Amino acid sequence: MAKPLILGAKYRGSIHDFPDFDPSQDAEALYTAMKGFGSDKEAILELITSRSNRQRQEICQSYKSLYGKDLIADLKYELTGKFERLIVGLMRPPAYCDAKEIKDAISGIGTDEKCLIEILASRTNDQMHQLVAAYKDAYERDLESDIIGDTSGHFQKMLVVLLQGTRENDDVVSEDLVQQDTQDLYEAGELKWGTDEAQFIYILGNRSKQHLRLVFDEYLKTTGKPIEASIRGELSGDFEKLMLAVVKCIRSTPEYFAERLFKAMKGLGTRDNTLIRIMVSRSELDMLDIREIFRTKYEKSLYSMIKNDTSGEYKKALLKLCGGDDDAAGQFFPEAAQVAYQMWELSAVARVEMKGTVHPANDFNPDADAKALRKAMKGLGTDEDTIIDIITHRSNAQRQQIRQTFKSHFGRDLMADLKSEISGDLARLILGLMLPPAHYDAKQLKKAIEGAGTDEKTLIEILATRTNAEIRAINEAYKEDYHRSLEDDLSSDTSGHFRRILISLATGNREEGGEDRDLAREDAKVSSSLEIADTPSGDKTSLETRFMTILCTRSYPHLRRVFQEFIKMTNYDVEHVIKKEMSGDVKDAFVAIVQSVKNKPLFFADKLYKSMKGAGTDEKSLTRAMISRSEIDLLNIRREFIEKYDKSLHQAIEGDTSGDFQKALLALCGGED
């Protein structure tokens, strides 16, 4: 397991001490900027964002000495809104800034738990001690007492543990204790009926970061799942969110903040308080690391996202704190390339267990189910609830038994009866569930090929994500149902490189073995030669052919290693290079393969999110993903969905669908996260 990247003692903030600093001169400049009618906001932001926090405190002192006035009070009077909040935040010493944020989070009606989690999960021992002292000084109150008065349960206990600032130092790591803590966490959660939260609180709240990273590695090896998956499965509510934040900060505090910044700006509306708090608090700590990881994860610079998401002086001040735009999207700094490499190392080692949400029903009785379905469809009106309940709570193998029993009992075709009784989106979903998986995929492919125009997205989604065994079963089902070969139909309906890619995938001959490091380096070299395609001598066609040979035939573990080697050689993510150098269906097919190799549940989480976001719902895409993944990895998809989009798949379905269709989808979803 790769060790987390330690970037040395190098300063990683974006704000530096201003050279030739003169606090009296700065105090005078600020006084002038606020004198008279209106204020010179440009001059204020330029000066304050160009000074370190230590220098700003000296300016406050000089301002009081020169004018007998409180600089922060004057700034508050002159400025308004988000810009004021940002500038005033910068003027406070970091511990007092944190104290003010926490005071705001617990004052008034309701508590801002996200703010409490963010600050208390991410601060070092020293920062925590300074925060407690600053809170006492500013509000003449005890922070621990206020936290206890405003929170409850295990969430409260963990916050109090973190407040002590007694996490062990990184230089003490005992191998025996790593094993013991791993076992204790496993027994406290996965192996226990109910959960022993006290063990989670004690170990995650007190052990050193270096020690806990080794515990997380060992936990993955022992249980086959990352500690985060166990926390999600065993804990709930704000306590679960807090523990996940602690784990993220232990793994990489800059990565935690990169994620928080991305979530603060993505989608409709901006969470300005979060954005301000992070940009202020990290500007002199690790903003450069945050920027690098931001680009690694989101393929865009933090600078460009702030630029597109904010406006006016507020935007200008945030961009100054950001400290610069990072080059082309998709290219990494050398350090960020190493972070990306280690993220792959982690994913290559992780053997996360894939779990569906639909399981074989206990005490299964096909006879009783067949009778119940017949009754639900007989006479006037249809009992949709019974149909949904039975079909969504049986495995596909059990549904096939019900079909057989239905025919034996009633001499009728269950599929034909269902077709005549239900309609629209619900019919598409229920009938899809009644088909064996290979026949369902064969039908989706047939529909994508026939008629006017080709549905390339569906062809790509199915052929780029199925295993060899699944592809072979689809070929047989296609032949059986349509008396034609899938390959012939793909050949006649597509062309060029896209056709060659689809046919290569449709043979189901991807290698099954592990990685070959030497070959991975060779493959990465071929992939990196994509960049010469822009030159007049670059032969894009032969490059695409070589690329196809690698992406369509190598095993998944091997391709993960190729992607790592590619980052090491080029400082680029292979996915970004494909997007930059290729176009059309060829690009879409290659991107789908790469995303599927990197993280298949995340690929489908993205598909589901896109099928429901914006105006209107793509019901066909939504139905296809829910049916095809329900017994394979829908539980993993749910976890990726909430992680990336900050809302559960259950919530998304609830907000975007209705009626019986919604009921059936929620049953397949299998629960709220």
Side-chain angles (χ1 to χ4, degrees):
M1 172 66 71
K3 295 291 174 285
L5 184 66
I6 296 166
L7 296 167
K10 237 182 346 176
Y11 179 71
R12 302 297 291 165
S14 53
I15 299 291
H16 302 263
D17 278 340
F18 188 74
D20 306 321
F21 172 61
D22 183 338
S24 300
Q25 203 176 309
D26 285 351
E28 203 176 314
L30 287 170
Y31 183 75
T32 307
M34 293 187 282
K35 214 167 67 176
F37 190 68
S39 53
D40 184 350
K41 296 182 179 66
E42 190 83 37
I44 293 169
L45 87 85
E46 189 58 42
L47 192 147
I48 289 174
T49 59
S50 301
R51 307 296 184 268
S52 66
N53 192 278
R54 182 186 61 77
Q55 290 175 330
R56 292 181 211 126
Q57 303 319 310
E58 288 186 51
I59 297 168
C60 279
Q61 276 305 118
S62 294
Y63 194 89
K64 188 156 252 177
S65 303
L66 287 171
Y67 306 109
K69 293 161 73 89
D70 184 325
L71 175 54
I72 289 181
D74 280 7
L75 286 166
K76 272 186 179 171
Y77 180 77
E78 290 293 331
L79 310 176
T80 56
K82 297 173 285 200
F83 181 55
E84 176 219 319
R85 190 178 175 98
L86 177 63
I87 294 297
V88 168
L90 287 167
M91 292 309 300
R92 290 193 176 101
Y96 284 81
C97 196
D98 279 351
K100 172 76 167 69
E101 289 292 324
I102 285 186
K103 183 76 173 124
D104 289 349
I106 55 181
S107 297
I109 300 165
T111 306
D112 181 354
E113 288 86 2
K114 282 184 176 165
C115 172
L116 293 182
I117 289 169
E118 181 197 295
I119 293 174
L120 299 181
S122 64
R123 300 310 190 245
T124 63
N125 287 347
D126 285 347
Q127 288 167 337
M128 207 67 89
H129 299 151
Q130 288 163 19
L131 161 60
V132 170
Y135 192 92
K136 186 89 171 166
D137 183 45
Y139 306 110
E140 296 178 350
R141 296 177 63 84
D142 179 59
L143 177 52
E144 187 178 317
S145 303
D146 281 2
I147 294 271
I148 289 170
D150 211 63
T151 58
S152 61
H154 297 299
F155 178 58
Q156 176 200 88
K157 285 176 194 154
M158 185 62 178
L159 290 176
V160 169
V161 167
L162 293 171
L163 264 182
Q164 306 315 303
T166 51
R167 189 175 292 289
E168 293 161 352
N169 293 327
D170 271 350
D171 52 359
V172 186
V173 175
S174 148
E175 218 165 283
D176 292 343
L177 193 55
V178 167
Q179 297 292 339
Q180 186 59 54
D181 282 350
T182 303
Q183 196 56 37
D184 288 349
L185 285 172
Y186 188 39
E187 286 171 5
E190 298 286 334
L191 291 180
K192 193 178 171 69
W193 180 259
T195 308
D196 181 0
E197 289 87 355
Q199 279 286 25
F200 278 86
I201 290 170
Y202 176 71
I203 293 170
L204 293 180
N206 290 286
R207 299 283 190 248
S208 76
K209 284 191 167 189
Q210 186 55 33
H211 173 86
L212 284 170
R213 287 178 194 126
L214 295 171
V215 169
F216 298 162
D217 291 352
E218 195 56 40
Y219 192 90
L220 184 63
K221 283 182 208 156
T222 305
T223 67
K225 60 166 76 173
I227 186 75
E228 291 91 337
S230 290
I231 288 172
R232 285 196 187 94
E234 298 297 326
L235 313 179
S236 61
D238 292 323
F239 180 48
E240 176 199 340
K241 291 186 186 113
L242 172 59
M243 297 307 254
L244 286 172
V246 168
V247 169
K248 280 177 185 170
C249 288
I250 284 158
R251 287 198 190 279
S252 166
T253 305
E255 188 173 344
Y256 171 70
F257 282 113
E259 196 177 292
R260 292 279 296 156
L261 285 167
F262 180 73
K263 285 179 177 173
M265 291 182 279
K266 79 176 174 75
L268 282 173
T270 305
R271 295 169 194 172
D272 293 291
N273 287 357
T274 302
L275 181 55
I276 291 166
R277 187 168 58 242
I278 297 172
M279 294 303 288
V280 169
S281 67
R282 310 315 291 186
S283 59
E284 292 184 48
L285 293 173
D286 51 8
M287 186 56 72
L288 297 186
D289 295 335
I290 291 168
R291 268 169 46 184
E292 289 170 2
I293 289 170
F294 193 96
R295 193 171 56 174
T296 304
K297 282 190 80 156
Y298 305 113
E299 291 183 20
K300 61 177 88 179
S301 67
L302 175 59
Y303 189 96
S304 66
M305 198 156 180
I306 291 170
K307 202 171 170 182
N308 294 330
D309 216 66
T310 57
S311 59
E313 278 90 10
Y314 174 54
K315 171 169 87 175
K316 285 178 191 164
L318 286 170
L319 291 177
K320 289 272 287 181
L321 293 182
C322 183
D325 196 359
D326 308 322
D327 313 330
Q331 186 184 2
F332 305 130
F333 290 101
E335 291 102 326
Q338 291 311 307
V339 171
Y341 185 91
Q342 286 164 6
M343 282 161 68
W344 283 116
E345 192 73 29
L346 204 77
S347 75
V349 172
R351 292 284 173 268
V352 180
E353 192 185 347
M354 293 299 154
K355 285 185 177 175
T357 52
V358 173
H359 310 280
N362 297 324
D363 306 322
F364 172 56
N365 184 340
D367 196 52
D369 284 348
K371 284 176 183 165
L373 287 170
R374 176 78 181 121
K375 188 181 173 190
M377 293 186 282
K378 223 165 80 175
L380 202 65
T382 308
D383 179 359
E384 284 90 354
D385 283 349
T386 296
I387 294 170
I388 292 167
D389 187 52
I390 292 174
I391 290 173
T392 59
H393 291 97
R394 306 294 182 268
S395 68
N396 194 279
Q398 290 176 333
R399 290 180 210 127
Q400 302 318 311
Q401 283 182 254
I402 297 169
R403 274 180 79 175
Q404 196 51 58
T405 307
F406 196 89
K407 187 156 252 180
S408 303
H409 266 316
F410 308 110
R412 302 170 67 93
D413 181 348
L414 176 55
M415 295 286 276
D417 279 8
L418 286 167
K419 249 185 207 170
S420 67
E421 291 292 328
I422 54 178
S423 60
D425 294 324
L426 177 66
R428 193 183 294 117
L429 181 65
I430 295 295
L431 292 168
L433 288 167
M434 290 306 301
L435 285 170
H439 289 265
Y440 178 71
D441 279 347
K443 187 175 184 185
Q444 298 303 304
L445 290 168
K446 182 69 173 155
K447 279 185 173 173
I449 293 167
E450 69 188 5
T454 306
D455 178 358
E456 290 86 1
K457 281 193 168 71
T458 299
L459 296 180
I460 291 168
E461 179 193 309
I462 295 173
L463 295 174
T465 60
R466 302 309 190 247
T467 64
N468 284 344
E470 286 167 340
I471 295 274
R472 287 173 200 141
I474 291 167
N475 277 302
E476 283 176 31
Y478 198 93
K479 190 95 175 159
E480 186 186 325
D481 293 345
Y482 307 111
H483 311 293
R484 295 173 59 84
S485 89
L486 173 58
E487 188 177 320
D488 288 347
D489 279 2
L490 288 171
S491 290
S492 60
D493 207 64
T494 57
S495 61
H497 272 292
F498 182 54
R499 172 168 64 198
R500 291 173 62 204
I501 293 165
L502 293 181
I503 288 171
S504 177
L505 293 171
T507 58
N509 283 327
R510 185 179 290 286
E511 293 162 2
E512 300 270 8
E515 64 182 61
D516 175 336
R517 290 204 177 211
D518 292 334
L519 182 60
R521 279 188 279 275
E522 286 306 307
D523 286 345
K525 270 184 205 160
V526 171
S527 309
S528 65
S529 63
L530 255 180
E531 292 177 76
I532 66 161
D534 281 339
T535 64
S537 60
D539 181 355
K540 208 155 203 162
T541 302
S542 71
L543 281 167
E544 287 180 350
T545 302
R546 282 182 283 161
F547 216 64
M548 185 182 91
T549 306
I550 295 163
L551 283 182
C552 297
T553 65
R554 303 286 194 248
S555 71
Y556 271 31
H558 180 81
L559 283 172
R560 286 193 192 102
R561 179 62 63 187
V562 173
F563 299 164
Q564 280 183 303
E565 295 298 334
F566 188 88
I567 289 172
K568 273 176 86 180
M569 282 177 193
T570 66
N571 275 1
Y572 275 90
D573 181 0
V574 70
E575 187 180 330
H576 175 79
V577 172
I578 291 167
K579 286 175 180 171
K580 180 169 168 272
E581 298 293 342
M582 296 185 178
S583 60
D585 297 326
V586 170
K587 176 191 79 175
D588 293 343
F590 282 153
V591 166
I593 295 167
V594 169
Q595 289 177 343
S596 183
V597 170
K598 283 179 173 180
N599 185 337
K600 200 177 285 186
L602 179 58
F603 172 82
F604 280 106
D606 286 340
K607 281 268 172 202
L608 285 166
Y609 179 75
K610 283 171 187 162
S611 73
M612 292 182 279
K613 81 175 176 104
T617 307
D618 178 354
E619 287 86 3
K620 287 181 183 173
S621 189
L622 173 58
T623 300
R624 188 171 58 247
M626 293 296 287
I627 289 173
S628 65
R629 309 318 293 180
S630 58
E631 290 185 53
I632 299 172
D633 54 3
L634 192 51
L635 192 62
N636 306 77
I637 291 166
R638 267 170 43 184
R639 286 170 185 157
E640 295 292 350
F641 194 98
I642 197 166
E643 185 71 28
K644 183 161 181 183
Y645 297 110
D646 232 11
K647 66 172 167 185
S648 68
L649 178 57
H650 189 282
Q651 284 172 315
I653 291 169
E654 229 172 18
D656 216 67
T657 58
S658 60
D660 292 323
F661 180 52
Q662 182 193 78
K663 278 183 202 166
L665 286 171
L666 291 177
L668 287 182
C669 182
E672 168 69 290
D673 295 305

